[in-house]
Amino acid sequence: QVQLVESGGGLVQAGGSLRLSCAASGSIFRFNMGWYRQAPGQQRVMVASIMADGNTHYADTMKGRFTISRDSAKNTVYLQMNNLKPEDTAVYYCNFWPTALASWGQGTQVTVSS
């Protein structure tokens, strides 16, 4: 089973930027991938997804601020997050999309201060 390891989170002020990375232990270039996040006390939700053909989709609140991309040669998926808001504070995870085929990793914590 492919393992996914997220990194790149941290503490940032509102309006700042972060770039998250998701490294896969195996080939993922034929699969649709997604970034998800889970805020305290809330359910995990999809943030952005990227198809095997490169098409992307975003949750409404992320449009224009977040950009998902992938490097198939490196088996890595990225999430560039700009103009971060306090409500973006959450643990961010990556997984296959729309079905999370891999076990959930530890995620990477993103904290946005006001």
Side-chain angles (χ1 to χ4, degrees):
Q1 186 182 33
V2 171
Q3 293 184 330
L4 303 167
V5 179
E6 304 90 350
S7 62
L11 174 63
V12 64
Q13 290 186 332
S17 299
L18 284 172
R19 188 193 194 205
L20 307 183
S21 298
C22 169
S25 62
S27 177
I28 58 171
F29 79 95
R30 291 178 296 175
F31 296 92
N32 304 331
M33 301 297 296
W35 279 98
Y36 305 77
R37 72 183 186 188
Q38 186 169 20
Q42 297 185 21
Q43 290 187 334
R44 187 178 287 132
V45 297
M46 192 275 284
V47 171
S49 60
I50 185 165
M51 307 302 106
D53 63 4
N55 285 328
T56 58
H57 302 276
Y58 300 91
D60 287 343
T61 55
M62 289 73 175
K63 289 180 179 178
R65 299 191 299 125
F66 291 9
T67 302
I68 188 172
S69 61
R70 65 194 301 166
D71 185 332
S72 295
K74 296 182 179 179
N75 292 318
T76 301
V77 181
Y78 303 97
L79 185 68
Q80 177 68 43
M81 306 186 297
N82 299 327
N83 190 22
L84 282 161
K85 304 176 181 180
E87 51 264 42
D88 294 319
T89 294
V91 180
Y92 285 71
Y93 304 86
C94 69
N95 211 315
F96 296 90
W97 185 89
T99 302
L101 299 176
S103 299
W104 293 101
Q106 292 188 339
T108 186
Q109 175 71 49
V110 172
T111 303
V112 185
S113 62
S114 57

